[in-house]
């Protein structure tokens, strides 16, 4: 039996966030970490739930995205959907606004018919090459909304740093790793998304029984707010926050070198 309702969980998190000091690291692009994000009792309970295998799942075994499986919202049921509601609701928007300086932030799940795969599982040997995410919300929603931020929540019940799988932050070319963040259980990362926010996942070297589980959420603002947000980010962090229209775009040589390159996969991988 679930001890927490969604409403009580949201209240507890709102109180925690209001008290917590947030340190934003602007190198190579603005991001911050919150450890022990969910209450321990709830974190343990969502890890006891099983994800359902359905036709909405997708698997990736390519040179730029390997040993990865993603799940749509239809596979997230009951309390397993709570983290997604938290990240896509007021909690996630308040956290994103600490970087983006906008009160008009919308999340992926604000559209009841969103098309996305917010739960990810990666296994031994898996990795995600250097890439930037899609720049706009797409033609299935408000086409002019700009994709400005992401949240990634690490939901594995345990993780050893020796297993790899770090969240990688690259420089503006997407070729050089600037920062590595361990996927520590119950850790949340919030980061800005622009056309130079290259990121990825380091290769996993873990037991076959171990899985790297993550919840993902993306955030948007109206195009009309772009100039104001760009100016705020320049003033606050000294960065050039630029967005132009593109799909999810990979740098095929990073971080694994020439062996990661496949022209077919590179050209066909779109969102």
């Amino acid at each position: 039996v679930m001890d927490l309702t969604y409403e009580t969980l949201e209240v507890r998190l709102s109180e925690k966030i209001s008290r917590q000091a947030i340190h934003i690291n602007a190198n190579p692009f603005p991001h911050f970490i919150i450890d022990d994000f969910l209450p321990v009792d709830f974190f343990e309970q969502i890890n006891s739930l099983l994800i359902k295998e359905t036709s909405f799942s997708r698997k990736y075994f390519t040179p730029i995205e390997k040993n990865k499986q993603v799940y749509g919202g239809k596979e997230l049921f009951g309390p397993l959907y709570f983290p997604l509601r938290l990240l896509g609701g007021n909690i996630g928007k308040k956290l994103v606004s600490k970087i983006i300086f906008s009160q008009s932030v919308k999340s992926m799940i604000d559209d009841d018919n969103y098309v996305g795969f917010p739960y990810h599982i990666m296994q031994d040997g898996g990795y995600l090459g250097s890439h930037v995410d899609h720049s706009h919300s797409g033609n299935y929603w408000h086409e002019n909304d700009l994709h400005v931020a992401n949240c990634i929540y690490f939901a594995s019940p345990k993780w050893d740093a020796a297993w790899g799988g770090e969240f990688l932050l690259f420089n503006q070319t997407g070729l050089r790793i600037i920062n590595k963040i361990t996927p520590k259980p119950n850790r949340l990362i919030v980061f800005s998304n622009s056309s130079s926010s290259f990121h990825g996942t380091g290769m996993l070297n873990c037991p076959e029984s171990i899985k790297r589980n993550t919840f993902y959420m993306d955030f948007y603002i109206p195009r009309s707010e772009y100039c104001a947000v760009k100016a705020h980010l320049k003033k606050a962090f000294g960065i050039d926050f630029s967005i132009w229209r593109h799909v999810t775009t990979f740098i095929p040589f990073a971080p694994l070198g020439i062996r990661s390159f496949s022209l077919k996969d590179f050209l066909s991988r779109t969102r």
Side-chain angles (χ1 to χ4, degrees):
V1 178
M2 190 60 57
D3 297 325
L4 293 174
T5 65
Y6 175 78
E7 288 72 22
T8 58
L9 182 61
E10 187 175 39
V11 168
R12 287 172 64 176
L13 278 176
S14 294
E15 293 173 348
K16 174 184 176 180
I17 290 170
S18 66
R19 298 190 305 265
Q20 186 162 3
I22 301 293
H23 172 68
I24 298 176
N25 184 345
N27 187 30
F29 44 85
H31 64 280
F32 62 85
I33 298 170
I34 297 179
D35 283 331
D36 304 315
F37 179 61
L38 293 181
V40 174
D41 52 350
F42 183 77
F43 178 69
E44 292 174 347
Q45 289 184 69
I46 64 169
N47 269 290
S48 68
L49 301 173
L50 297 176
I51 193 80
K52 292 189 294 185
E53 194 87 21
T54 76
S55 59
F56 290 93
S57 307
R58 289 185 181 179
K59 296 181 180 181
Y60 296 97
F61 299 96
T62 74
I64 56 176
E65 198 168 7
K66 187 176 180 182
N67 287 8
K68 177 182 175 183
Q69 191 160 357
V70 299
Y71 299 85
K74 294 183 182 297
E75 288 88 354
L76 303 177
F77 58 95
L80 198 57
Y81 191 69
F82 284 7
L84 202 64
R85 288 181 65 186
L86 290 168
L87 296 180
N90 292 331
I91 297 290
K93 293 171 187 175
K94 287 179 181 177
L95 291 172
V96 164
S97 67
K98 294 181 182 297
I99 290 178
I100 299 301
F101 306 104
S102 170
Q103 300 304 311
S104 302
V105 173
K106 294 180 284 188
S107 75
M108 177 172 69
I109 64 170
D110 279 335
D111 176 18
D112 293 334
N113 299 311
Y114 77 93
V115 178
F117 297 86
Y119 189 77
H120 300 178
I121 293 177
M122 191 174 286
Q123 296 176 279
D124 182 44
Y127 57 82
L128 181 61
S130 175
H131 68 284
V132 287
D133 291 338
H134 55 287
S135 60
H136 293 67
S137 52
N139 56 18
Y140 58 84
W141 193 20
H142 309 293
E143 187 173 0
N144 289 323
D145 285 347
L146 302 179
H147 182 181
V148 294
N150 295 336
C151 283
I152 297 178
Y153 174 62
F154 298 118
S156 299
K158 62 179 180 179
W159 199 264
D160 189 317
W163 295 341
E166 303 93 346
F167 178 68
L168 306 177
L169 293 80
F170 292 81
N171 68 351
Q172 291 187 348
T173 67
L175 295 172
R176 183 164 61 90
I177 298 171
I178 302 298
N179 199 357
K180 297 182 180 182
I181 300 174
T182 301
K184 180 181 176 182
N186 207 9
R187 167 175 279 179
L188 176 70
I189 300 176
V190 181
F191 62 99
S192 65
N193 182 78
S194 72
S195 294
S196 59
S197 297
F198 286 94
H199 57 283
T201 302
M203 183 175 290
L204 275 66
N205 180 24
C206 60
E208 291 186 4
S209 60
I210 298 297
K211 296 179 179 179
R212 183 185 187 272
N213 303 331
T214 57
F215 287 87
Y216 164 84
M217 182 59 57
D218 50 29
F219 299 86
Y220 303 85
I221 60 169
R223 177 182 289 276
S224 59
E225 292 198 9
Y226 173 58
C227 290
V229 168
K230 182 181 176 72
H232 275 299
L233 286 165
K234 182 69 173 179
K235 181 178 180 180
F237 305 115
I239 66 168
D240 181 18
F241 186 78
S242 297
I243 298 177
W244 53 89
R245 186 173 293 277
H246 55 78
V247 296
T248 298
T249 305
F250 280 76
I251 301 294
F253 303 107
L256 300 173
I258 189 68
R259 64 194 176 95
S260 71
F261 179 73
S262 166
L263 182 61
K264 179 180 178 181
D265 289 324
F266 179 63
L267 293 177
S268 65
R269 178 63 173 97
T270 61
R271 186 189 189 282

